[in-house]
Amino acid sequence: MPGVVERYRDRLPFAPGDPVVSLNEGSTPLVHAAHVSGLVGAEVWLKLEGANPTGSFKDRGMTCAVSAAVREGATAIICASTGNTAASAAAYAARAGLTGAVIVPAGKIATGKLAQALMHGARVIALRGNFDQALTLVRALTDRHPIALVNSVNAFRLEGQKTAAFELVEELSELDALCVPVGNAGNITAYWKGFREVRAAPRLLGFQAEGAAPLVHGAPVAHPETVASAIRIGNPARWEEAMEAMTASRGEIRAVSDEEILAAYRLLASREGVFCEPASAASVAGLLRYGPGGARRVACVLTGHGLKDPQTALDHAGAVVPCVPELDAVEEAVLGGTGAGPPEPA
Ligand SMILES: *Cc1c(COP(=O)(O)O)cnc(C)c1O
């Protein structure tokens, strides 16, 4: 499949002949979730956005933001990031031959995302502060310097990200509700824009982590905290738009606890065979906690790949089974004890 600009150019602000910086993002798998469906009593589908080229949905928006920056003659791009925007911006900057800089909260981004940003050659600035401070600072910086800002305050990001809604509507003729994790609130805004453009109107069910739930409380959170680092945001840039999308779709924005996020994270991996990152699991955690609310068919957006954050996985998964290189010991290790199911009866 071509990337989202080529696939949906008629609905995006790009003319034929405009430069396109693409890694053939989008066209991600939509898989039925049999186990979750049984638990909630609705037909549940998972949109695997971790299958995008850098492992998150941010690529859909980044192809548009970086293509537009190149069209405008930019030579450098910058973003504040909880990790995935940094990884994506770094990759697309590398591909376009632009200088990339990313500002991340020091010590608060997952290992895989940091590795990506560094490998793609971006200048990675570790801010002794949180995401909200980082975003305020990059906005001020781009007012002073001709550097393109590629956070989701950039309208091209939302244009690209709305294409996920097109894909859902193309694959599922009817969709009653969409569950999506909410951080800076760009993605829920983009989905609603996309659905409206194709005259679809599923209920948007947005989920924030309890310790970072400004939209639920109706006030910014000064010190957001959650295991789901991608949505550790206390003052979403797309606040109003997200509330509008929620109201217009008769949806909800609600909170889920870190325990619920981690339980859904493990359940998706162990029962559905889908390894997403913790923030992504907030969508399914929310569906499990609050139920489908009468929806018959529901899609949950799994925003990023589980390999982004190997440390959280190792902290919350089972242990490995140590073994000496002897057949009896291997037999015991494979068939007996923990991890490998019940032993054969004697
Ligand atoms: C960016 C991100 C989110 C949140 O998206 P917003 O547009 O900031 O609301 C959720 N999950 C993952 C994995 C992300 O990278």
Side-chain angles (χ1 to χ4, degrees), residues 56-58 82 84-85 113 152 157 161 181-188 230-231 233 277 279-280 303-304:
S56 86
F57 74 84
K58 301 298 200 299
T82 57
N84 281 329
T85 301
K113 305 173 188 181
S152 58
R157 282 277 309 278
Q161 286 169 212
V182 176
N184 214 22
N187 210 30
I188 193 168
I231 52 172
I233 293 176
E277 64 172 286
S280 309
T303 45

Side-chain angles (χ1 to χ4, degrees), residues 50 118 128 162 306 329:
L118 290 168
R128 280 187 230 105
K162 77 184 181 187

Side-chain angles (χ1 to χ4, degrees), residues 265-274:
Y265 172 62
R266 281 189 299 255
L267 179 121
L268 285 165
S270 64
R271 302 303 298 264
E272 302 289 1
V274 175

Side-chain angles (χ1 to χ4, degrees), residues 5 41 67 70 91 115 165 256 275 291 323:
V5 173
S67 296
V70 168
V256 286
F275 186 24
C323 189

Side-chain angles (χ1 to χ4, degrees), residues 91-138:
Y92 284 81
R95 197 159 175 84
L98 304 178
T99 302
V102 304
I103 303 193
V104 300
K108 298 284 191 186
I109 86 165
T111 315
K113 305 173 188 181
L114 185 59
Q116 288 178 289
L118 290 168
M119 278 298 290
H120 290 303
R123 181 183 288 251
V124 178
I125 295 124
L127 188 76
R128 280 187 230 105
N130 61 30
F131 170 83
D132 303 287
Q133 293 169 307
L135 183 58
T136 303
L137 289 165
V138 293

Side-chain angles (χ1 to χ4, degrees), residues 21 27 47 56 59 76 79 101 107 110 118 122 130 134 138 145 179 182 185 207 218 239 281 292 303 323:
V21 183
S27 307
K47 181 71 168 157
S56 86
D59 294 345
C79 65
L118 290 168
N130 61 30
V138 293
H145 299 276
C179 297
V182 176
F207 298 103
W239 188 307
T303 45
C323 189

